[in-house]
């Protein structure tokens, strides 16, 4: 629904998020956002068909092999079209791009042979080399059309905390980190 407050997670460091800020709905994060005027789709391809009048082009072969259909080439135009039409955000109720399984035995062996921590990977292909398409995780993604998401705390976006997200908070990008970069959290309470 429009103007719903939802609990989310967001990490900066993505060069891809210059045209929009990509969040995942994530219970227990303690970080909330108001999605504003929002348009919902099941997938990125559904949004492309509606906003651009055509389906997404095939993606990168490794992604397609794993069943990942991102619409990377179309997303900047999808976000731009939604912004032009006055939408604050886009919701994707079945966005799939993560897997439960990790590296293949071969990737782990390569890391050990190179004297590296076997769970620290230098490439996404190694990290997902053992991925089983049947284990794909599908989540709820929200993309803001008026903010860039390259930083953990997109400038100008209001964040909330507390029961149901009814208390404003300052975004803190110093406490949490992912493999991609710093992640958003509400600043601690001060007394």
């Amino acid at each position: 629904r429009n103007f719903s407050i939802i609990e989310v997670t967001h990490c900066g460091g993505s060069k891809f998020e210059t045209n929009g800020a990509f969040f995942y709905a994530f219970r227990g994060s303690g970080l909330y956002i108001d999605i504003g005027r929002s348009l919902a789709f099941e997938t990125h391809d559904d949004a492309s068909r509606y906003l651009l009048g055509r389906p997404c082009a095939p993606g990168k072969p490794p992604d397609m092999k794993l069943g990942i259909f991102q619409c990377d080439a179309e997303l900047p135009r999808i976000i731009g079209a939604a912004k032009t039409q006055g939408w604050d955000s886009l919701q994707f109720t079945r966005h799939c791009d993560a897997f439960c399984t990790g590296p293949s035995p071969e990737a782990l062996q390569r890391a050990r042979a190179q004297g590296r921590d076997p769970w620290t990977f230098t490439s996404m292909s190694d990290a997902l080399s053992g991925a089983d398409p049947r284990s794909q995780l599908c989540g709820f993604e929200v993309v803001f059309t008026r903010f860039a998401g390259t930083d953990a705390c997109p400038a100008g976006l209001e964040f909330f905390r507390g029961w149901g997200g009814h208390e404003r908070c300052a975004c803190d990008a110093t406490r949490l980190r992912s493999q991609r970069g710093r992640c958003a959290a509400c600043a601690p309470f001060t007394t």
Side-chain angles (χ1 to χ4, degrees):
R1 282 192 344 225
N2 290 331
F3 303 101
S4 293
I5 293 177
I6 61 171
E7 198 169 8
V8 296
T9 183
H10 179 263
C11 296
S14 170
K15 295 175 185 162
F16 186 78
E17 293 188 48
T18 57
N19 295 316
F22 291 68
F23 288 76
Y24 285 104
F26 196 81
R27 286 187 183 157
S29 71
L31 180 72
Y32 294 82
I33 53 173
D34 183 333
I35 62 172
R37 188 166 176 262
S38 191
L39 188 58
F41 299 96
E42 187 171 282
T43 66
H44 292 171
D45 191 58
D46 293 336
S48 182
R49 290 171 190 272
Y50 181 82
L51 292 165
L52 304 179
R54 64 180 185 280
C56 293
K60 300 172 194 163
D63 288 347
M64 299 303 285
K65 180 181 175 187
L66 292 171
I68 299 171
F69 200 65
Q70 296 287 8
C71 301
D72 287 347
E74 291 79 14
L75 276 172
R77 289 190 302 276
I78 290 169
I79 294 166
K83 182 178 179 179
T84 299
Q85 292 179 21
W87 298 103
D88 299 314
S89 68
L90 297 170
Q91 300 172 50
F92 298 101
T93 60
R94 192 175 189 283
H95 178 67
C96 306
D97 68 351
F99 295 88
C100 292
T101 57
S104 67
E106 295 81 14
L108 288 172
Q109 187 175 16
R110 269 194 309 279
R112 286 186 188 105
Q114 295 169 359
R116 291 186 289 116
D117 176 348
W119 291 98
T120 303
F121 302 100
T122 56
S123 73
M124 188 57 81
S125 61
D126 269 359
L128 291 177
S129 59
D132 180 344
R134 295 169 297 176
S135 72
Q136 190 172 31
L137 300 174
C138 297
F140 187 102
E141 181 181 57
V142 175
V143 180
F144 280 91
T145 64
R146 301 181 191 288
F147 303 98
T150 51
D151 294 326
C153 300
L157 184 60
E158 288 185 303
F159 293 91
F160 303 88
R161 68 172 161 209
W163 188 257
H166 295 292
E167 178 185 338
R168 285 201 174 137
C169 72
C171 186
D172 179 1
T174 63
R175 298 183 303 141
L176 301 174
R177 188 169 185 78
S178 74
Q179 77 279 8
R180 189 171 89 181
R182 299 204 176 274
C183 301
C186 277
F189 288 102
T190 57
T191 54

